[in-house]
Amino acid sequence: MKKTVYAAALMAVFASGSAMANADLAKAKNCMACHNVDAKVVGPAYKEVAKKYAGDKTAEAKLVQKVLKGSSGTWGAIPMPANAQVSEAEAKTLVKWILALK
């Protein structure tokens, strides 16, 4: 029983560390200049993005392309510019993290 509790606690630590690492990646790639987890800044809050795309099986691929190439019209008149400083692997990591937010 103690091993099960310990294993669950250890998994929670790793999961929260991963979530923090992805928030750090968003900060490092300057995403947080226009976005926030909980509140609209220039672009939508990440939780709103997760809510909008919940259940959409194509969301990850669509959003990765939006991060890389930019986007306009989905959340209003202000376009999101392309993010040349973000690799495709980083975009996938960021999008998976955003879509997992609740």
Side-chain angles (χ1 to χ4, degrees):
M1 179 69 176
K2 287 182 183 179
K3 288 182 182 180
T4 303
V5 171
Y6 179 73
L10 191 58
M11 286 174 45
V13 168
F14 284 124
S16 66
S18 176
M20 285 304 289
N22 294 330
D24 290 341
L25 179 60
K27 288 176 189 168
K29 294 301 177 175
N30 222 18
C31 304
M32 300 304 240
C34 295
H35 297 277
N36 187 300
V37 172
D38 296 311
K40 177 179 174 37
V41 181
V42 174
Y46 287 142
K47 287 186 178 181
E48 286 298 313
V49 174
K51 183 178 176 181
K52 178 178 181 125
Y53 289 95
D56 181 345
K57 294 179 195 242
T58 64
E60 184 178 328
K62 285 191 278 192
L63 292 175
V64 165
Q65 290 308 304
K66 287 182 179 209
V67 168
L68 295 173
K69 297 178 181 176
S71 172
S72 64
T74 305
W75 295 93
I78 300 173
M80 181 172 81
N83 292 283
Q85 79 281 9
V86 178
S87 71
E88 187 168 349
E90 290 167 332
K92 286 181 183 179
T93 298
L94 290 165
V95 167
K96 285 180 183 184
W97 170 64
I98 292 164
L99 292 174
L101 294 172
K102 306 242 185 251

